[in-house]
Amino acid sequence: MSIWSTQDVARDAVRRQAGGLDTAQIAARTAEAAARARETAADARGALRRGTDLPGVEIDMQRLADTWAAKHTEWQRIQTLLETTGRAMYEPADDETGTRWERERGQHREERLAAAAAHREQVRQDRLAVAVQLRLTPAQAAPLQQAAVRTGLTPEQVLAQLAARVETAPDGALSVSAFHHGHP
């Protein structure tokens, strides 16, 4: 899934390409985008009828057609902006609508990146958190409870300290070296 819609991608691309172009160049780009929009729409319809694309090439013909249609719409918007304002050349900084859209895209991107980072951190934390259920017989639980009483910890805290210090021998045997609570 993309952070930006087809329209967002088209607006961004056209805005960057249009900077510094005069009205005649903008009109030519608008006409070219209209032709490409028609061609790719026809290609997309044809690909649906044929049910095949180019072998070994993954092209979403409908997305390509949608992108060219969106680019054509944006070129038209810029052309209309120049005509209504009487400007001879397009400068992205003078385009209030385009600047607002760019700011919104940037804000949306930052929000999505922050959400993705938060999700990655939550997944990391979830992997670190291990819920263990341990069933001990009264005879097995007695030494654990005695250690908890002597140290002033809960049985779960004693087990956590033991788990933090567990060592695995080459043969797979587990052991915990002697230690005092609160000492490394």
Side-chain angles (χ1 to χ4, degrees), residues 26 30 73-86:
I26 297 288
T30 303
T73 299
E74 185 62 6
W75 281 112
Q76 283 179 313
R77 186 190 72 78
I78 291 173
Q79 184 175 9
T80 301
L81 175 68
L82 292 182
E83 290 169 358
T84 58
T85 61

PDB file of all heavy atoms in Angstrom, residues 26 30 73-86:
ATOM      1  N   ILE A  26       3.414  24.768 -20.799  1.00  0.00           N
ATOM      2  CA  ILE A  26       2.383  24.136 -19.962  1.00  0.00           C
ATOM      3  C   ILE A  26       1.265  23.590 -20.851  1.00  0.00           C
ATOM      4  O   ILE A  26       0.786  22.464 -20.662  1.00  0.00           O
ATOM      5  CB  ILE A  26       1.810  25.130 -18.925  1.00  0.00           C
ATOM      6  CG1 ILE A  26       2.892  25.592 -17.946  1.00  0.00           C
ATOM      7  CG2 ILE A  26       0.595  24.552 -18.203  1.00  0.00           C
ATOM      8  CD1 ILE A  26       3.355  24.570 -16.948  1.00  0.00           C
ATOM      9  N   THR A  30       0.076  19.764 -21.179  1.00  0.00           N
ATOM     10  CA  THR A  30      -1.325  19.405 -20.944  1.00  0.00           C
ATOM     11  C   THR A  30      -1.836  18.543 -22.094  1.00  0.00           C
ATOM     12  O   THR A  30      -2.488  17.521 -21.877  1.00  0.00           O
ATOM     13  CB  THR A  30      -2.189  20.674 -20.780  1.00  0.00           C
ATOM     14  OG1 THR A  30      -1.661  21.447 -19.702  1.00  0.00           O
ATOM     15  CG2 THR A  30      -3.638  20.325 -20.490  1.00  0.00           C
ATOM     16  N   THR A  73      -5.205  16.011 -15.382  1.00  0.00           N
ATOM     17  CA  THR A  73      -6.008  16.904 -14.549  1.00  0.00           C
ATOM     18  C   THR A  73      -5.134  17.966 -13.897  1.00  0.00           C
ATOM     19  O   THR A  73      -5.499  19.145 -13.859  1.00  0.00           O
ATOM     20  CB  THR A  73      -6.751  16.093 -13.460  1.00  0.00           C
ATOM     21  OG1 THR A  73      -7.620  15.166 -14.107  1.00  0.00           O
ATOM     22  CG2 THR A  73      -7.537  16.989 -12.527  1.00  0.00           C
ATOM     23  N   GLU A  74      -3.959  17.580 -13.409  1.00  0.00           N
ATOM     24  CA  GLU A  74      -3.068  18.546 -12.744  1.00  0.00           C
ATOM     25  C   GLU A  74      -2.472  19.540 -13.740  1.00  0.00           C
ATOM     26  O   GLU A  74      -2.371  20.732 -13.455  1.00  0.00           O
ATOM     27  CB  GLU A  74      -1.962  17.806 -11.983  1.00  0.00           C
ATOM     28  CG  GLU A  74      -1.060  18.716 -11.175  1.00  0.00           C
ATOM     29  CD  GLU A  74      -1.750  19.504 -10.070  1.00  0.00           C
ATOM     30  OE1 GLU A  74      -2.944  19.297  -9.803  1.00  0.00           O
ATOM     31  OE2 GLU A  74      -1.080  20.351  -9.458  1.00  0.00           O
ATOM     32  N   TRP A  75      -2.087  19.060 -14.924  1.00  0.00           N
ATOM     33  CA  TRP A  75      -1.581  19.990 -15.944  1.00  0.00           C
ATOM     34  C   TRP A  75      -2.669  20.994 -16.316  1.00  0.00           C
ATOM     35  O   TRP A  75      -2.391  22.185 -16.486  1.00  0.00           O
ATOM     36  CB  TRP A  75      -1.090  19.232 -17.185  1.00  0.00           C
ATOM     37  CG  TRP A  75       0.281  18.627 -17.019  1.00  0.00           C
ATOM     38  CD1 TRP A  75       0.575  17.304 -16.951  1.00  0.00           C
ATOM     39  CD2 TRP A  75       1.531  19.315 -16.900  1.00  0.00           C
ATOM     40  NE1 TRP A  75       1.917  17.125 -16.790  1.00  0.00           N
ATOM     41  CE2 TRP A  75       2.535  18.344 -16.771  1.00  0.00           C
ATOM     42  CE3 TRP A  75       1.898  20.663 -16.898  1.00  0.00           C
ATOM     43  CZ2 TRP A  75       3.879  18.660 -16.631  1.00  0.00           C
ATOM     44  CZ3 TRP A  75       3.245  20.982 -16.761  1.00  0.00           C
ATOM     45  CH2 TRP A  75       4.224  20.001 -16.633  1.00  0.00           C
ATOM     46  N   GLN A  76      -3.904  20.505 -16.425  1.00  0.00           N
ATOM     47  CA  GLN A  76      -5.017  21.414 -16.735  1.00  0.00           C
ATOM     48  C   GLN A  76      -5.195  22.450 -15.623  1.00  0.00           C
ATOM     49  O   GLN A  76      -5.428  23.628 -15.901  1.00  0.00           O
ATOM     50  CB  GLN A  76      -6.323  20.633 -16.888  1.00  0.00           C
ATOM     51  CG  GLN A  76      -6.473  19.914 -18.188  1.00  0.00           C
ATOM     52  CD  GLN A  76      -7.786  19.158 -18.253  1.00  0.00           C
ATOM     53  OE1 GLN A  76      -8.159  18.457 -17.323  1.00  0.00           O
ATOM     54  NE2 GLN A  76      -8.478  19.292 -19.377  1.00  0.00           N
ATOM     55  N   ARG A  77      -5.088  22.030 -14.386  1.00  0.00           N
ATOM     56  CA  ARG A  77      -5.238  22.945 -13.257  1.00  0.00           C
ATOM     57  C   ARG A  77      -4.176  24.037 -13.299  1.00  0.00           C
ATOM     58  O   ARG A  77      -4.464  25.221 -13.120  1.00  0.00           O
ATOM     59  CB  ARG A  77      -5.144  22.177 -11.921  1.00  0.00           C
ATOM     60  CG  ARG A  77      -5.435  23.054 -10.700  1.00  0.00           C
ATOM     61  CD  ARG A  77      -5.097  22.347  -9.406  1.00  0.00           C
ATOM     62  NE  ARG A  77      -3.667  22.210  -9.197  1.00  0.00           N
ATOM     63  CZ  ARG A  77      -2.862  23.190  -8.772  1.00  0.00           C
ATOM     64  NH1 ARG A  77      -3.335  24.385  -8.518  1.00  0.00           N
ATOM     65  NH2 ARG A  77      -1.565  22.970  -8.610  1.00  0.00           N
ATOM     66  N   ILE A  78      -2.941  23.636 -13.588  1.00  0.00           N
ATOM     67  CA  ILE A  78      -1.852  24.617 -13.661  1.00  0.00           C
ATOM     68  C   ILE A  78      -2.051  25.549 -14.842  1.00  0.00           C
ATOM     69  O   ILE A  78      -1.844  26.766 -14.735  1.00  0.00           O
ATOM     70  CB  ILE A  78      -0.490  23.895 -13.714  1.00  0.00           C
ATOM     71  CG1 ILE A  78      -0.217  23.229 -12.357  1.00  0.00           C
ATOM     72  CG2 ILE A  78       0.631  24.856 -14.092  1.00  0.00           C
ATOM     73  CD1 ILE A  78       1.001  22.342 -12.325  1.00  0.00           C
ATOM     74  N   GLN A  79      -2.479  25.004 -15.976  1.00  0.00           N
ATOM     75  CA  GLN A  79      -2.739  25.842 -17.148  1.00  0.00           C
ATOM     76  C   GLN A  79      -3.832  26.865 -16.830  1.00  0.00           C
ATOM     77  O   GLN A  79      -3.698  28.054 -17.136  1.00  0.00           O
ATOM     78  CB  GLN A  79      -3.151  24.973 -18.341  1.00  0.00           C
ATOM     79  CG  GLN A  79      -3.341  25.760 -19.622  1.00  0.00           C
ATOM     80  CD  GLN A  79      -3.637  24.843 -20.807  1.00  0.00           C
ATOM     81  OE1 GLN A  79      -3.856  23.643 -20.656  1.00  0.00           O
ATOM     82  NE2 GLN A  79      -3.644  25.416 -21.993  1.00  0.00           N
ATOM     83  N   THR A  80      -4.899  26.429 -16.178  1.00  0.00           N
ATOM     84  CA  THR A  80      -5.990  27.335 -15.800  1.00  0.00           C
ATOM     85  C   THR A  80      -5.500  28.378 -14.802  1.00  0.00           C
ATOM     86  O   THR A  80      -5.869  29.555 -14.892  1.00  0.00           O
ATOM     87  CB  THR A  80      -7.167  26.534 -15.198  1.00  0.00           C
ATOM     88  OG1 THR A  80      -7.611  25.589 -16.175  1.00  0.00           O
ATOM     89  CG2 THR A  80      -8.312  27.432 -14.768  1.00  0.00           C
ATOM     90  N   LEU A  81      -4.644  27.972 -13.877  1.00  0.00           N
ATOM     91  CA  LEU A  81      -4.082  28.912 -12.898  1.00  0.00           C
ATOM     92  C   LEU A  81      -3.316  30.024 -13.604  1.00  0.00           C
ATOM     93  O   LEU A  81      -3.501  31.212 -13.288  1.00  0.00           O
ATOM     94  CB  LEU A  81      -3.156  28.168 -11.921  1.00  0.00           C
ATOM     95  CG  LEU A  81      -2.408  29.034 -10.905  1.00  0.00           C
ATOM     96  CD1 LEU A  81      -3.378  29.630  -9.900  1.00  0.00           C
ATOM     97  CD2 LEU A  81      -1.334  28.210 -10.201  1.00  0.00           C
ATOM     98  N   LEU A  82      -2.476  29.665 -14.570  1.00  0.00           N
ATOM     99  CA  LEU A  82      -1.719  30.679 -15.304  1.00  0.00           C
ATOM    100  C   LEU A  82      -2.656  31.597 -16.099  1.00  0.00           C
ATOM    101  O   LEU A  82      -2.447  32.813 -16.148  1.00  0.00           O
ATOM    102  CB  LEU A  82      -0.691  30.027 -16.230  1.00  0.00           C
ATOM    103  CG  LEU A  82       0.468  29.299 -15.551  1.00  0.00           C
ATOM    104  CD1 LEU A  82       1.424  28.750 -16.595  1.00  0.00           C
ATOM    105  CD2 LEU A  82       1.201  30.204 -14.581  1.00  0.00           C
ATOM    106  N   GLU A  83      -3.670  31.002 -16.707  1.00  0.00           N
ATOM    107  CA  GLU A  83      -4.610  31.814 -17.501  1.00  0.00           C
ATOM    108  C   GLU A  83      -5.388  32.789 -16.617  1.00  0.00           C
ATOM    109  O   GLU A  83      -5.574  33.943 -16.986  1.00  0.00           O
ATOM    110  CB  GLU A  83      -5.581  30.899 -18.252  1.00  0.00           C
ATOM    111  CG  GLU A  83      -4.918  30.115 -19.369  1.00  0.00           C
ATOM    112  CD  GLU A  83      -5.801  29.005 -19.939  1.00  0.00           C
ATOM    113  OE1 GLU A  83      -6.936  28.802 -19.443  1.00  0.00           O
ATOM    114  OE2 GLU A  83      -5.349  28.329 -20.878  1.00  0.00           O
ATOM    115  N   THR A  84      -5.847  32.320 -15.457  1.00  0.00           N
ATOM    116  CA  THR A  84      -6.667  33.187 -14.602  1.00  0.00           C
ATOM    117  C   THR A  84      -5.845  34.234 -13.862  1.00  0.00           C
ATOM    118  O   THR A  84      -6.353  35.308 -13.560  1.00  0.00           O
ATOM    119  CB  THR A  84      -7.479  32.367 -13.573  1.00  0.00           C
ATOM    120  OG1 THR A  84      -6.586  31.600 -12.776  1.00  0.00           O
ATOM    121  CG2 THR A  84      -8.478  31.473 -14.270  1.00  0.00           C
ATOM    122  N   THR A  85      -4.578  33.931 -13.570  1.00  0.00           N
ATOM    123  CA  THR A  85      -3.745  34.909 -12.853  1.00  0.00           C
ATOM    124  C   THR A  85      -2.960  35.802 -13.808  1.00  0.00           C
ATOM    125  O   THR A  85      -2.419  36.819 -13.375  1.00  0.00           O
ATOM    126  CB  THR A  85      -2.747  34.195 -11.912  1.00  0.00           C
ATOM    127  OG1 THR A  85      -1.880  33.362 -12.691  1.00  0.00           O
ATOM    128  CG2 THR A  85      -3.472  33.394 -10.846  1.00  0.00           C
ATOM    129  N   GLY A  86      -2.889  35.438 -15.071  1.00  0.00           N
ATOM    130  CA  GLY A  86      -2.143  36.231 -16.040  1.00  0.00           C
ATOM    131  C   GLY A  86      -0.632  36.059 -15.929  1.00  0.00           C
ATOM    132  O   GLY A  86       0.121  36.801 -16.552  1.00  0.00           O
TER     133      GLY A  86
END
